């Protein structure tokens, strides 16, 4: 089988070598399309591919139409909103993600950003500590669980809300399960977003929701920029000078957010999963899933069933 690695933002070389090794052992051929600048390059490359490994690359209907032999696309990462999963389903193309492979990387960055924020972006002035502060985790998935584990090490009081995860799972992890999303915003000093971008969650973090936060509240987003209602959050930050917003996903309105100096910070590029470990883990998981799919028809990680 021909497996295309199509990555506008390439994997680390060590991850590519690992993918090639795993593919070769299973008798597959790997073709590499990195740093492409034109969609046509992707359309050409995918023409004879049986499988595809992508990162944040957009897999739209035209890409799938150009891929006459494509049977499976694996997104090396957690979120898969960059892939038109419904269209893939219509075309009998299996879409998978590689859950959990980058969640520790994202969770560690949450704390890098938080310490930076509570210490006033290292401006030399006395800040505050995370110990004993209430942290609210919105969505107790792979990233949320890692955030909870690390937060406990900091001595924080940890709360979580997840629409689909049973309370027992949250409580078993030593985390307080709250009954509704509003309670998380009302009661916690810091709220960390780990919801996927879905029809239900897009723009769901709006003026009304965030305005419930206590004085001095910090909102941190390492999920997706689409979950934030940016105009409404800008309005709220203008009205409430006590609130802070930090993220590793530059909002569309970054310029306007920057006006809130000392209360807003965004990494220049999406950084959550940018570690050597996450790169390698996700890339190797992707090829293993493809190998299992062709060998045994394994679709355990399919997200468009
Ligand atoms: N910043 C980055 O570089 C980076 C890296 C990895 C993942 N992410 C983002 O983080 C998100 C979470 O990643 P993950 O690995 O934890 O995913 P996951 O699939 O393991 O967990 C998502 C959780 O969200 C919950 N959920 C879904 N809809 C909800 C809703 N409306 N309200 C409350 N909870 C809801 C689900 O029940 C699940 O527990 C991803 O979807 C992705 O968008 C960002």
């Amino acid at each position: 089988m021909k497996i295309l690695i199509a990555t506008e933002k390439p994997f680390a070389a060590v991850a590519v070598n690992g993918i090639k090794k795993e593919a070769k052992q299973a008798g597959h051929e790997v073709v590499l399309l990195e740093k492409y600048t034109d969609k046509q390059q992707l359309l050409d490359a995918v023409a004879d591919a049986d499988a595809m490994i992508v990162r944040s690359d957009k897999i739209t209907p035209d890409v799938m139409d150009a891929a006459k032999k494509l049977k499976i696309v694996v997104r090396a990462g957690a979120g898969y909103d960059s892939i038109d999963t419904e269209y893939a389903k219509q075309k009998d193309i299996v879409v998978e993600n590689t859950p959990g492979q980058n969640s520790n990387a994202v969770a560690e960055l949450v704390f890098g950003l938080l310490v930076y924020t509570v210490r006033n972006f290292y401006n030399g002035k006395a800040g505050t500590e995370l110990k004993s502060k209430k942290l609210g985790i919105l969505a107790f998935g792979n990233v949320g669980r890692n955030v909870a584990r690390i937060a406990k090490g900091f001595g924080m009081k940890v709360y979580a809300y997840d629409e689909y995860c049973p309370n027992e799972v949250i409580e078993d992890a030593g985390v307080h399960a709250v009954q509704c999303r509003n309670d998380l915003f009302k009661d916690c000093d810091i709220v960390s977003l780990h919801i996927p971008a879905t029809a239900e969650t897009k723009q769901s973090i709006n003026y009304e929701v965030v305005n419930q936060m206590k004085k001095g509240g910090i909102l941190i987003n390492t999920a997706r920029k689409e979950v934030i209602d940016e105009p409404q959050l800008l309005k709220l930050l203008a009205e409430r000078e006590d609130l802070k917003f930090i993220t590793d996903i530059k909002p569309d309105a970054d310029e306007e957010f920057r006006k809130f100096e000392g209360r807003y910070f965004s990494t220049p590029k999406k950084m959550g999963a940018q570690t050597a470990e996450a790169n390698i883990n996700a890339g190797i998981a992707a090829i293993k899933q493809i190998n299992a799919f062709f060998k045994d028809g394994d679709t355990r990680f399919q997200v468009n069933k």
Side-chain angles (χ1 to χ4, degrees):
M1 296 290 171
K2 192 175 254 188
I3 300 167
L4 174 69
I5 304 177
T7 48
E8 199 182 340
K9 289 183 195 141
F11 284 110
V14 59
V16 174
N17 290 338
I19 294 171
K20 283 183 176 166
K21 197 171 150 203
E22 291 281 343
K24 197 174 168 193
Q25 278 169 5
H28 304 312
E29 180 196 351
V30 170
V31 179
L32 201 55
L33 174 70
E34 290 182 329
K35 294 185 189 167
Y36 57 93
T37 48
D38 191 319
K39 188 148 197 200
Q40 192 58 45
Q41 292 172 274
L42 178 61
L43 298 178
D44 292 342
V46 84
D48 60 349
D50 298 284
M52 235 180 146
I53 298 175
V54 295
R55 298 189 73 204
S56 295
D57 308 78
K58 290 195 173 48
I59 305 303
T60 44
D62 52 340
V63 177
M64 291 184 253
D65 287 341
K68 302 280 180 240
K69 294 165 72 184
L70 192 64
K71 292 160 202 72
I72 178 168
V73 181
V74 181
R75 151 95 168 101
Y80 45 86
D81 44 311
S82 48
I83 302 175
D84 191 329
T85 49
E86 273 308 307
Y87 195 74
K89 195 172 165 184
Q90 284 171 33
K91 300 209 70 154
D92 278 331
I93 297 170
V94 170
V95 178
E96 298 190 354
N97 64 347
T98 59
Q101 302 296 333
N102 56 19
S103 40
N104 181 64
V106 181
E108 287 190 12
L109 187 71
V110 166
F111 290 89
L113 289 169
L114 278 179
V115 171
Y116 182 54
T117 304
V118 296
R119 296 302 182 98
N120 299 318
F121 306 146
Y122 304 149
N123 70 355
K125 295 194 180 133
T128 57
E129 298 178 20
L130 294 176
K131 190 178 172 196
S132 301
K133 300 296 182 304
K134 287 186 177 177
L135 174 69
I137 299 173
L138 184 56
F140 205 64
N142 286 293
V143 178
R145 288 166 208 216
N146 276 284
V147 169
R149 170 180 55 78
I150 300 171
K152 284 192 269 172
F154 272 92
M156 300 184 82
K157 294 174 187 153
V158 191
Y159 298 77
Y161 174 74
D162 191 300
E163 190 113 2
Y164 305 102
C165 174
N167 282 351
E168 304 84 74
V169 174
I170 296 176
E171 297 281 346
D172 284 353
V175 172
H176 305 286
V178 301
Q179 296 319 308
C180 70
R181 187 184 65 171
N182 283 351
D183 287 349
L184 211 59
F185 282 86
K186 276 185 203 151
D187 296 341
C188 295
D189 303 293
I190 299 163
V191 174
S192 190
L193 305 177
H194 302 292
I195 39 176
T198 62
E200 183 190 11
T201 64
K202 281 182 187 169
Q203 277 83 51
S204 64
I205 307 303
N206 57 26
Y207 181 96
E208 207 183 323
V209 171
V210 186
N211 196 25
Q212 300 176 99
M213 290 191 83
K214 295 192 274 196
K215 193 165 189 289
I218 299 172
L219 176 70
I220 173 162
N221 181 25
T222 57
R224 281 284 183 273
K225 68 179 177 188
E226 290 84 359
V227 303
I228 304 261
D229 186 322
E230 294 185 14
Q232 291 199 16
L233 185 59
L234 281 164
K235 179 173 179 283
L236 182 64
L237 288 173
E239 283 176 22
R240 281 193 51 183
E241 292 186 4
D242 59 300
L243 292 180
K244 293 192 172 87
F245 171 51
I246 51 175
T247 180
D248 79 320
I249 311 150
K250 201 159 40 163
D252 292 333
D254 175 60
E255 282 288 310
E256 288 169 70
F257 279 105
R258 276 169 192 268
K259 290 178 195 149
F260 303 108
E261 213 189 323
R263 297 197 286 129
Y264 166 72
F265 177 78
S266 169
T267 56
K269 284 189 174 174
K270 187 151 145 274
M271 292 281 301
Q274 296 297 348
T275 66
E277 292 87 343
N279 237 247
I280 295 162
N281 294 348
I284 300 295
I287 188 64
K288 284 189 171 165
Q289 289 172 211
I290 288 173
N291 288 347
F293 171 78
F294 285 125
K295 186 164 176 273
D296 307 315
D298 184 346
T299 53
R300 233 174 324 155
F301 296 99
Q302 184 171 0
V303 294
N304 66 335
K305 275 186 179 151

